[in-house]
Amino acid sequence: MKIENIKKEFPIFDEKIQNNDLVYLDSANSSQKPKVVADKINEFYTKQFSNVGRSVHYLAVAATNLYETTRSSVQKYINAKDKNEIVFTKGATEALNLVANTLGQNYLNEGDEILITELEHHSNYVPWHFLRKSKNIKINFAEMNEDGDVSLEEIEKKITSKTKVIAITHLSNVTGAILPVKEITDLAHSKGIIVVIDGCQGAPHLKLDMQDLDCDFYAISCHKMYGPTGLGVLYGKKKWLEELPPYQGGGGMIREVKKDSISYGELPNKYEAGTMATAQVIAFDQSIKFMESIGIENIMQHEADLVEYGQELLQKNNSVKLIGSPKNKGGVLSFTLEGVHPHDIATILDEDGVAIRAGHHCCQILHDKLNIPASARASVGIYNTKEDLDILNDSINNCKKIFNLK
Ligand SMILES: Cc1ncc(COP(=O)(O)O)c(C=O)c1O
């Protein structure tokens, strides 16, 4: 599929939003959905619906096969060694909670240390904070530098003999910094430290290869990958998923239940308790096929061009202050505008049909470090064009006029 034609695959771009063509620059929050994904959800509910992994009737077996097909597609897409290393969750947040909780139950002890970074989304901080409360585990922070990046050297500096886990973002949802996750993983493993990667912003934009990366856990948010909401993927190395206890109890995750004993199911069922987000999982296969039809190399090239173009535009725009200029930057352009609250920026841009996000983007530690309560963030996806960024810039200029800025 040609990248120039991508917008046509997303029905939302045929809609007028408050009489405007939509310029959607909020993909780091959640991406729009291609027709194939929406159609698959409809088809599943209207023609193929059954719960999975339970009944033996035709529909149930067919739905189970579709569900497991997505698992195989994810395995292939991220080059995991084993299909059973793919666990479906209700989001990346749940995936990260699962990891922190189960490591807390079986692996971490009082006094152990977790190393995270100042870039982390609350989803990769708060679950570790629970362990700080319940198990007296210490959290250390690798610091963000002036470029909005965290270097390998800074990570190395913050590792102590008590560090048991390094939990880091792949790509910052505020500064766009792409962290050297492979080098960090190699370093961590040389010291016997587990590596957990928050891949929410990495997975939609970067080529993934779990066997090459060798991290222990990688959390994915499907709604940012042109897929349905209510769905995440946890990649976990088989050895860890086998060793750690279940996260939630209920139907589907057990082998045998007696009054005085319970044994758990095999992987990945052990971590998929209760009725899962069946339609979302089945439709997510279409998201992967869609991304594959474009090709991750083409996606990466297209988005790198957009970021470079957008950065140049905003850098030239007086009064706009870009946040983060890391060497390796993903598709996020966060900024402030002198004296204007980010919510006002977002509201004024919205009147021009430009959808961005304003706030702390679930990264209060990062914003504290910058001494600002919030920022405005434009983030790109495969459907964006340079024209979208021109409209963004024009709309920022409208906003400046309202606030009498030069
Ligand atoms: C870096 C990062 N981590 C975690 C999350 C949470 O993902 P989910 O919405 O799938 O729970 C997000 C979503 O905004 C994110 O950007």
Side-chain angles (χ1 to χ4, degrees):
M1 193 185 303
K2 285 248 175 8
I3 214 123
E4 308 85 75
N5 300 328
I6 298 285
K7 264 194 185 165
K8 292 195 195 100
E9 306 297 325
F10 290 79
I12 197 147
F13 293 114
D14 296 332
E15 298 294 314
K16 289 278 177 209
I17 310 294
Q18 300 190 96
N19 296 322
N20 284 307
D21 288 334
L22 173 64
V23 175
Y24 190 75
L25 290 167
D26 197 19
S27 296
N29 180 357
S30 198
S31 62
Q32 292 298 341
K33 316 303 169 201
K35 185 168 184 303
V36 282
V37 171
D39 283 352
K40 188 67 211 179
I41 290 177
N42 189 39
E43 182 186 33
F44 178 64
Y45 277 132
T46 54
K47 298 197 169 108
Q48 301 171 320
F49 182 75
S50 172
N51 205 345
V52 299
R54 287 155 168 79
S55 310
V56 294
H57 56 77
Y58 176 83
L59 284 174
V61 173
T64 303
N65 288 340
L66 288 171
Y67 185 90
E68 291 304 321
T69 297
T70 304
R71 200 188 306 277
S72 299
S73 298
V74 175
Q75 179 205 350
K76 197 169 128 261
Y77 192 73
I78 67 173
N79 196 28
K81 197 167 179 185
D82 194 310
K83 183 175 178 248
N84 293 332
E85 293 179 320
I86 308 301
V87 174
F88 292 116
T89 60
K90 81 174 165 67
T93 299
E94 188 178 60
L96 291 164
N97 274 278
L98 186 163
V99 177
N101 178 288
T102 56
L103 284 172
Q105 285 186 59
N106 252 26
Y107 184 75
L108 297 167
N109 297 306
E110 185 168 342
D112 285 346
E113 294 180 4
I114 315 280
L115 177 58
I116 68 171
T117 79
E118 290 176 339
L119 300 173
E120 298 316 313
H121 188 282
H122 297 161
S123 294
N124 196 27
Y125 173 32
V126 184
W128 303 110
H129 167 76
F130 291 159
L131 297 183
R132 181 160 67 183
K133 287 273 171 201
S134 64
K135 296 208 79 168
N136 218 1
I137 275 156
K138 188 174 171 208
I139 300 176
N140 294 318
F141 291 86
E143 286 183 35
M144 174 177 79
N145 60 27
E146 280 184 349
D147 295 331
D149 208 348
V150 175
S151 67
L152 179 65
E153 293 69 34
E154 169 63 12
I155 298 275
E156 187 161 21
K157 220 168 77 188
K158 292 288 159 69
I159 292 174
T160 74
S161 59
K162 291 183 175 168
T163 308
K164 286 286 179 59
V165 177
I166 297 180
I168 43 165
T169 187
H170 195 169
L171 195 167
S172 161
N173 62 314
V174 179
T175 68
I178 300 171
L179 267 58
V181 284
K182 184 162 165 53
E183 290 78 1
I184 293 170
T185 303
D186 289 347
L187 172 70
H189 284 174
S190 74
K191 297 173 186 289
I193 299 167
I194 296 174
V195 178
V196 181
I197 300 178
D198 174 353
C200 281
Q201 303 295 338
H205 307 291
L206 302 172
K207 188 173 167 66
L208 297 184
D209 183 334
M210 290 303 123
Q211 292 184 67
D212 179 55
L213 180 54
D214 200 37
C215 63
D216 299 283
F217 297 97
Y218 194 97
I220 291 174
S221 177
C222 301
H223 68 90
K224 298 181 203 284
M225 286 180 79
Y226 314 101
T229 50
L231 185 65
V233 168
L234 173 66
Y235 160 80
K237 267 192 186 154
K238 199 169 171 191
K239 118 183 152 80
W240 286 116
L241 294 178
E242 276 173 351
E243 198 174 314
L244 293 173
Y247 175 51
Q248 292 181 329
M253 51 73 72
I254 49 83
R255 178 182 297 133
E256 197 176 54
V257 176
K258 299 282 180 199
K259 274 192 173 162
D260 54 3
S261 68
I262 297 176
S263 59
Y264 308 128
E266 300 288 322
L267 291 180
N269 300 353
K270 176 179 159 189
Y271 293 101
E272 293 184 358
T275 294
M276 298 294 288
T278 321
Q280 290 91 322
V281 170
I282 288 169
F284 187 55
D285 197 37
Q286 296 301 318
S287 314
I288 292 178
K289 288 199 170 77
F290 182 76
M291 289 182 74
E292 282 174 339
S293 74
I294 304 161
I296 188 69
E297 274 83 9
N298 294 330
I299 294 173
M300 285 167 68
Q301 187 57 57
H302 176 63
E303 292 178 350
D305 290 347
L306 289 176
V307 172
E308 198 186 325
Y309 186 77
Q311 240 181 327
E312 269 179 32
L313 270 182
L314 297 189
Q315 266 159 359
K316 277 192 265 169
N317 194 332
N318 282 337
S319 319
V320 172
K321 191 159 175 262
L322 266 173
I323 295 171
S325 49
K327 205 161 70 213
N328 293 317
K329 185 172 167 81
V332 180
L333 298 163
S334 297
F335 62 95
T336 53
L337 197 53
E338 244 174 55
V340 186
H341 194 283
H343 281 127
D344 290 336
I345 305 174
T347 305
I348 292 165
L349 266 58
D350 185 49
E351 284 167 13
D352 295 334
V354 180
I356 63 161
R357 181 168 172 193
H360 53 59
H361 320 302
C362 302
C363 291
Q364 281 187 314
I365 302 278
L366 187 156
H367 282 84
D368 280 352
K369 174 94 179 196
L370 297 172
N371 251 323
I372 49 174
S375 58
R377 180 185 72 185
S379 52
V380 302
I382 42 181
Y383 29 64
N384 289 116
T385 59
K386 288 183 180 169
E387 199 197 347
D388 290 339
L389 296 168
D390 288 332
I391 298 170
L392 167 75
N393 198 40
D394 291 346
S395 190
I396 292 174
N397 287 336
N398 290 341
C399 180
K400 279 166 56 177
K401 266 189 219 139
I402 295 171
F403 284 90
N404 288 325
L405 291 171
K406 281 195 197 134

